[in-house]
Amino acid sequence: MCGRYTLFADREDLEDRFDARFEGPYERRYNMAPGQRLPVVTDAASDTIRSLEWGLEPDWDGDRLINARAETVASKPSFRAAYEGVGRDGGVGESEGREAGRCLVLADGFYEWADGQPYRVAFEDDRPFAMAGLWRSPETETTQAGLDAFGGGSDAEEPAEVGSFTVVTTEPNALVADLHHRMAAVLEPDGERQWLSAEDPRGVLESYPADEMRAYPVSTAVNGPDTDDPSLVEPI
């Protein structure tokens, strides 16, 4: 499964690579964890890099879902609405009044653990890539407080609720198979737009070829989700 990942490429390089612009500030991250607001490109606005919260919020009470299996995204109730959210016209679908769809989760590496030892998996040149993801909006985007709802007092709004996303996983390639029985669905560059816009793009969710990637051991300091500094990606 994918439970931690990294993104520390230059902002300009990321915007050029994904042909999209950040809608807010960008911070280099070395230990991205569930529950945090992290950069994605959604099918609803493919020219914008926005921040959503990692952990897809279900329609019913329950734990947020940080991963979705590629084999069941089109059929499992938790994910079907988001997977089917893109129609032939590029529009987004809805579930329980919420927008939902597919997204690109921006990364340049991810962590896996074997026998208690964390490893970072990345391309040899640390170039950024996209993991397949699913997203959904919150039930309520914004609300006004006090007299604002009636047109009186200050016109300040309460902060908007944050949408959420999950990372799709698939069978591991030969490199990751030594570490875990699943891996993030890393997309080929020409498969990224297919994932966002095709009617049924499950064919792009194959495991990425292992010969372009490397895996190396890193400090166990990465085990703490509040630890986030460049030393975490250094090999030991």
Side-chain angles (χ1 to χ4, degrees), residues 37 138-145 148 155-163:
R37 293 183 63 171
E139 290 186 81
T140 305
E141 289 293 340
T142 59
T143 57
Q144 290 185 307
D148 299 342
D155 60 0
E157 291 184 337
E158 294 180 356
E161 293 185 48
V162 179

Side-chain angles (χ1 to χ4, degrees), residues 22 24 44 57 72 134 162 182 202 204 206 211 236:
F22 282 90
E57 185 179 10
T72 56
L134 302 171
V162 179
R182 303 289 295 177
R202 278 175 290 180
V204 304
E206 301 294 330
D211 57 1
I236 61 171

Side-chain angles (χ1 to χ4, degrees), residues 109-128:
F110 57 88
Y111 296 108
E112 295 290 359
W113 280 256
D115 298 324
Q117 172 62 55
Y119 292 79
R120 180 171 178 261
V121 181
F123 287 111
E124 292 285 353
D125 58 2
D126 270 333
R127 66 183 183 270

Side-chain angles (χ1 to χ4, degrees), residues 70-71 73-74 83 102 132 168 170 185-188 190-192 194-195 198-209:
E71 297 86 347
V73 290
Y83 181 78
R102 305 180 205 137
V168 178
T170 189
V186 176
L187 299 170
E188 298 271 8
D190 61 1
E192 292 168 3
Q194 292 182 55
W195 176 247
E199 184 173 1
D200 186 4
R202 278 175 290 180
V204 304
L205 300 178
E206 301 294 330
S207 55
Y208 201 96

Side-chain angles (χ1 to χ4, degrees), residues 71-94:
E71 297 86 347
T72 56
V73 290
S75 59
K76 194 170 182 178
S78 303
F79 308 118
R80 186 174 58 240
Y83 181 78
E84 295 177 348
V86 178
R88 295 181 183 179
D89 61 356
V92 295
E94 295 186 0

